[in-house]
Amino acid sequence: MTLQNRDSGDSSVPLLEVEDLQVEFHTRAGVLKAVDGVSFSVDHRETLAVLGESGSGKSVTAQTIMGILDMPPAVIAGGAVRYRGTDLLGLSPPERRAIRGQKISMIFQDALSALNPVFSVGWQIAEMFRVHRGMSRREAKKRAIELMERVHIPAAAKRVDDFPHQFSGGMRQRIMIAMAIALDPEVLIADEPTTALDVTVQAQIMELLAELQEESGMGLILITHDLGVVADIADRTAVMYAGRVMEQAGVFDAYAAPAHPYTKGLLESIPRLDQKGGDLFSIPGTPPDLLHRPSGCAFRPRCRFRTDECLTEDPPLHDIGGGRGSACHHYQEVLDDAER
Amino acid sequence: MTQSGERGPAPSAEPVLEVRDLVKHYPITRGILFQRSYGAVQAVDGVSFDLRPGETLGVVGESGSGKSTLAKMLIGLEGPTSGSIKVHGKDITELDRRGAKRMRRDIQMIFQDPYTSLNPRMTVGDIICEPFEIHGDVLPSSERRGRAQELLEVVGLNPEHINRYPHQFSGGQRQRIGIARALALRPSILVCDEPVSALDVSIQAQVINLLIKLQKEFGLAYVFIAHDLSVVRHISDRVSVMYLGRFVESGTDTEIYDHASHPYSQALLSAVPNPTPVGRESRQRILLSGDVPSPADPPSGCRFRTRCWKAEEICSTDDPELTVRPGSDHPSACHFAEGPLEVGGPR
Ligand SMILES: Nc1ncnc2c1ncn2[C@@H]1O[C@H](COP(=O)(O)OP(=O)(O)OP(=O)(O)O)[C@@H](O)[C@H]1O
Ligand SMILES: Nc1ncnc2c1ncn2[C@@H]1O[C@H](COP(=O)(O)OP(=O)(O)OP(=O)(O)O)[C@@H](O)[C@H]1O
Ligand code: SF4
Ligand code: SF4
Ligand SMILES: [Mg+2]
Ligand SMILES: [Mg+2]
């Protein structure tokens, strides 16, 4: 396998592209389609936010891209994950390992459980260099300190031998980020990197990610359920619901005029000042049980735009122009509704 | 229970809850045979406020600032180290057991986690009737199931589901069950500790709407603890910002959100992402450096001084009181409290 380097990249091929990905879990209760035809792509310097509620398939998608999905119970039932045009799903395990961590890397929501409690943080960061770059212990430790400085851990040289529990949640997340960027990846997947953190710490971590992206030009896939975070840093967003991408758009377009009733409902349920003390808009009902997915459109039971067609016809992700997509039969009506 | 039909405090009404100088210190002990005390975690350190019928006090602050400890003292799950909690003018920390038990009917709590706060082996009916078991004189046994069904209806659940178990409900529905249980004894105060944090965005609004409806219907007073600042603004009449066991600023929702005068409140508000991308390039943000100090060893003087960009000599020696200072219209615990900075926050 040959992989082009960063500078000779073919600009017509996206850096990372997920196409029609299908991931199932075969459980005793039946087949659960956790990811049901997800497509999106991300390029250098771009931030794609994958937005969705609990259980919508965000983490399973990320784990499939990284190649860290437990199979079984998971089964990849179809689709492709292309890095610079090469389908990663068809690679051998050693080929896969050459990409994981080096070209595509990931940070997780819970930094404490992702770090090993019995090794110092410096040792864990340095391991990346020892294993993947064959560096000596001393050289690797030096690089670990440099990385800790790059993610703004104060007094890095002094703290390199400290253990994970000696750091705060925000500092641990910085250490996770240091490990993830150690080998200068081209794509960084951040799966809810700040959900467990306070908002002031969240702001610091988001700033750090933006700064690192600016320096390195990596593509960033940010997984979140926070509409504010998406509005703040994403270039584009893919909105997931019940294992599907419901809408894909530039973030300014999506927030100004959503093209899917689900996106629209989420945006409308943010409290606004003029509604103070009154009723908030809320999406009625609850997300579907993926073992008993409704026929037709999965959002139909909660949708105020639904028609009979929605009961029988599963909407594909329509290309609605302007680089946008909507998996809704009535996207035009939804768009027009925003203009009123 | 009063039927006020209106939200917001009745201006003339007597407070239903008066909290003064409330303190909770957890001793740090070492040694197994001979436990010795080595200082204390100052989880809550001198909190005072009043709450009127129908009023909502929002409490915001970062993890570890003492919000849950405050809530636990209010409902009697934790005894305060010092200070007083008066419900309808009676100090519950001074009453005997029976008296305290009676008063506590009046102040109930909704917990954050709808998954662990309900006993999985009890039916919904038993869960809602549990408070009647504890306070046996409130309602004869024969009327309890009927009341439980009424309560299910009040919180928007099907009364016929009274024999189901918690796992048969979604997260939002379980939170409704928790609310029904909290309402069983007809309290006048509900303490809500992060009542929607564990719920999906699309479900949060449903529960907030229910809480507002119940407040209107029964004239309930709320202490509403949450970390989502826009939700707190939506539901609260007044807001207090908590840092390291203290209220550092208190005011009406506009006073806090539009005219924050304490540097910590300003930083907290500026860190909240705006729910729209419009104008994000020009947005100013105060990024705090460093971590929250340990509540076992808080800084001298102003507790925020180790992270404050305005700190001066006096801040390390003099503890700033929570009081109204010239140039501001509401209490702030900062020697240099001043008007709002031009920073973004949830509007
Ligand atoms: N090992 C597993 N076995 C069975 N089902 C699974 C397994 N892992 C995930 N699922 C199911 O797949 C679906 C998608 O899960 P996923 O973790 O991707 O959601 P998510 O969008 O990341 O949610 P969250 O916001 O809660 O992290 C869920 O319905 C989940 O229950
Ligand atoms: N039983 C206890 N023993 C010792 N320390 C405690 C105890 N309970 C709480 N604390 C400490 O008191 C401080 C305040 O905790 P509390 O749970 O009230 O914070 P909080 O504001 O509710 O935080 P969060 O937002 O994370 O829920 C923390 O430092 C906590 O570790
Ligand atoms: S396809 Fe129909 S049910 Fe689905 S989101 Fe569009 S209008 Fe609603
Ligand atoms: S008293 Fe001093 S340290 Fe404390 S918030 Fe005010 S300026 Fe900052
Ligand atoms: Mg996830
Ligand atoms: Mg708490």
Side-chain angles (χ1 to χ4, degrees):
Chain A
M1 178 190 61
T2 55
L3 294 168
Q4 296 137 314
N5 69 31
R6 186 167 302 195
D7 300 320
S8 64
D10 178 348
S11 61
S12 68
V13 178
L15 177 60
L16 183 82
E17 186 182 21
V18 175
E19 196 186 308
D20 198 21
L21 189 64
Q22 320 256 356
V23 183
E24 297 171 349
F25 288 96
H26 292 232
T27 70
R28 260 177 297 160
V31 175
L32 183 151
K33 287 188 171 179
V35 177
D36 190 15
V38 163
S39 304
F40 56 69
S41 70
V42 67
D43 264 309
H44 281 122
R45 305 205 167 278
E46 191 180 38
T47 300
L48 171 78
V50 177
L51 174 74
E53 295 183 64
S54 192
S56 57
K58 307 181 298 293
S59 295
V60 172
T61 303
Q63 288 160 6
T64 313
I65 296 172
M66 280 296 286
I68 55 170
L69 197 62
D70 285 330
M71 295 190 289
V75 176
I76 299 177
V81 175
R82 293 191 199 91
Y83 166 70
R84 291 181 175 281
T86 306
D87 185 2
L88 303 181
L89 301 181
L91 296 184
S92 67
E95 289 171 322
R96 203 79 215 256
R97 274 198 296 276
I99 293 186
R100 187 185 314 139
Q102 313 220 37
K103 302 294 179 192
I104 307 175
S105 70
M106 180 159 164
I107 52 180
F108 302 88
Q109 168 171 348
D110 185 357
L112 186 56
S113 57
L115 289 165
N116 189 327
V118 303
F119 293 106
S120 74
V121 299
W123 177 266
Q124 294 183 61
I125 302 172
E127 188 176 17
M128 303 293 292
F129 297 115
R130 291 191 304 270
V131 172
H132 294 277
R133 296 279 191 266
M135 283 182 196
S136 71
R137 278 187 182 200
R138 259 188 66 198
E139 177 68 4
K141 182 168 173 180
K142 199 172 134 249
R143 293 291 297 277
I145 296 172
E146 284 169 20
L147 262 177
M148 285 169 72
E149 282 166 352
R150 201 167 154 210
V151 296
H152 309 305
I153 292 174
K158 269 199 217 138
R159 303 214 61 186
V160 62
D161 295 323
D162 285 353
F163 290 85
H165 73 266
Q166 292 170 287
F167 292 85
S168 68
M171 287 297 154
R172 286 197 285 259
Q173 196 53 281
R174 287 176 192 268
I175 291 157
M176 285 300 301
I177 293 172
M179 289 172 68
I181 63 165
L183 305 174
D184 213 7
E186 291 188 88
V187 180
L188 178 64
I189 305 173
D191 189 356
E192 313 241 17
T194 60
T195 305
L197 304 175
D198 281 320
V199 336
T200 60
V201 183
Q202 169 177 309
Q204 295 165 0
I205 297 291
M206 286 301 163
E207 186 90 356
L208 172 65
L209 286 175
E211 177 189 318
L212 295 171
Q213 185 184 32
E214 180 73 20
E215 286 167 13
S216 70
M218 63 191 176
L220 179 63
I221 299 177
L222 178 74
I223 295 176
T224 179
H225 60 254
D226 188 329
L227 292 151
V229 167
V230 176
D232 230 19
I233 75 163
D235 298 307
R236 283 190 304 120
T237 183
V239 182
M240 286 187 69
Y241 185 82
R244 294 270 175 106
V245 172
M246 290 285 160
E247 169 156 18
Q248 224 186 109
V251 79
F252 285 86
D253 289 340
Y255 279 63
H260 193 283
Y262 176 60
T263 323
K264 191 175 169 64
L266 286 180
L267 288 168
E268 283 171 348
S269 44
I270 299 171
R272 285 199 326 260
L273 207 45
D274 57 339
Q275 304 168 313
K276 173 152 172 89
D279 260 5
L280 290 173
F281 175 85
S282 66
I283 303 175
T286 53
D289 171 359
L290 294 179
L291 283 169
H292 306 101
R293 175 187 283 281
S295 65
C297 173
F299 189 60
R300 179 184 48 80
R302 310 175 73 187
C303 183
R304 67 183 145 115
F305 291 88
R306 65 177 170 229
T307 60
D308 289 348
E309 184 186 8
C310 309
L311 186 60
T312 50
E313 300 296 318
D314 198 350
L317 191 69
H318 297 281
D319 181 345
I320 65 169
R324 303 183 64 171
S326 168
C328 173
H329 296 304
H330 305 302
Y331 64 83
Q332 192 57 51
E333 205 183 310
V334 182
L335 278 169
D336 292 345
D337 197 64
E339 282 159 19
R340 280 194 278 123
Chain B
M1 212 180 284
T2 49
Q3 297 274 328
S4 76
E6 277 296 311
R7 276 192 82 240
S12 56
E14 288 294 308
V16 279
L17 180 64
E18 292 161 274
V19 172
R20 290 294 174 274
D21 302 316
L22 203 57
V23 171
K24 180 72 196 181
H25 288 184
Y26 292 105
I28 305 167
T29 52
R30 279 185 213 145
I32 295 164
L33 274 182
F34 302 100
Q35 290 228 332
R36 284 216 235 150
S37 189
Y38 288 79
V41 177
Q42 306 185 10
V44 173
D45 195 61
V47 164
S48 303
F49 64 89
D50 283 351
L51 190 68
R52 279 164 222 290
E55 187 181 29
T56 301
L57 172 71
V59 179
V60 299
E62 287 175 280
S63 186
S65 57
K67 305 181 299 294
S68 297
T69 307
L70 172 62
K72 286 181 202 153
M73 286 192 281
L74 294 179
I75 62 152
L77 270 182
E78 291 273 11
T81 307
S82 63
S84 65
I85 302 167
K86 284 187 184 162
V87 178
H88 293 301
K90 287 211 187 83
D91 190 341
I92 55 171
T93 62
E94 282 179 353
L95 293 172
D96 60 18
R97 280 181 76 105
R98 269 186 55 216
K101 195 175 153 191
R102 270 196 79 82
M103 288 317 292
R104 284 201 191 106
R105 279 186 207 162
D106 226 22
I107 177 160
Q108 295 290 323
M109 178 142 163
I110 302 169
F111 296 89
Q112 165 169 0
D113 193 344
Y115 296 90
T116 56
S117 60
L118 304 179
N119 185 338
R121 276 179 291 274
M122 285 166 75
T123 65
V124 168
D126 292 341
I127 287 171
I128 297 175
C129 289
E130 206 181 9
F132 301 129
E133 303 288 327
I134 301 168
H135 300 270
D137 52 333
V138 174
L139 198 69
S141 316
S142 56
E143 290 171 30
R144 292 179 186 169
R145 278 187 75 80
R147 175 65 61 76
Q149 288 189 314
E150 272 171 47
L151 285 163
L152 281 173
E153 195 140 23
V154 166
V155 299
L157 293 173
N158 188 341
E160 282 164 25
H161 292 171
I162 188 163
N163 290 325
R164 294 197 176 179
Y165 289 88
H167 75 265
Q168 293 171 287
F169 294 87
S170 70
Q173 288 172 328
R174 280 185 241 200
Q175 200 55 297
R176 288 172 193 266
I177 297 168
I179 295 172
R181 177 178 56 185
L183 290 176
L185 298 172
R186 308 194 165 196
S188 45
I189 306 160
L190 275 191
V191 179
C192 313
D193 189 4
E194 308 265 9
V196 296
S197 310
L199 304 177
D200 273 327
V201 194
S202 76
I203 307 300
Q204 287 186 5
Q206 297 175 3
V207 173
I208 295 291
N209 287 347
L210 172 64
L211 288 173
I212 290 177
K213 183 192 103 169
L214 294 172
Q215 182 165 53
K216 280 186 190 151
E217 221 165 282
F218 303 116
L220 294 167
Y222 289 154
V223 175
F224 189 91
I225 298 168
H227 62 249
D228 183 331
L229 278 90
S230 56
V231 167
V232 170
R233 178 167 204 174
H234 182 78
I235 199 169
S236 303
D237 303 298
R238 286 185 302 128
V239 177
S240 289
V241 181
M242 211 168 171
Y243 188 78
L244 272 181
R246 299 211 175 141
F247 282 2
V248 296
E249 183 164 5
S250 292
T252 63
D253 67 303
T254 14
E255 282 165 353
I256 299 294
Y257 285 77
D258 299 340
H259 309 285
S261 71
H262 193 285
Y264 176 66
S265 320
Q266 291 171 344
L268 186 67
L269 285 163
S270 91
V272 177
N274 267 340
T276 165
V278 177
R280 67 182 183 185
E281 298 81 8
S282 58
R283 191 164 169 214
Q284 303 264 339
R285 196 160 264 170
I286 306 166
L287 284 182
L288 289 178
S289 54
D291 291 324
V292 182
S294 159
D297 184 21
S300 65
C302 173
R303 296 192 162 192
F304 185 56
R305 74 176 161 84
T306 52
R307 302 168 82 195
C308 183
W309 64 99
K310 284 167 72 183
E312 289 187 23
E313 184 75 46
I314 183 180
C315 305
S316 63
T317 53
D318 292 29
D319 197 350
E321 232 182 294
L322 179 66
T323 176
V324 184
R325 288 185 174 70
S328 174
D329 51 2
H330 62 276
S332 175
C334 170
H335 294 304
F336 307 107
E338 61 180 359
L341 297 182
E342 284 305 309
V343 288
R347 294 288 151 192

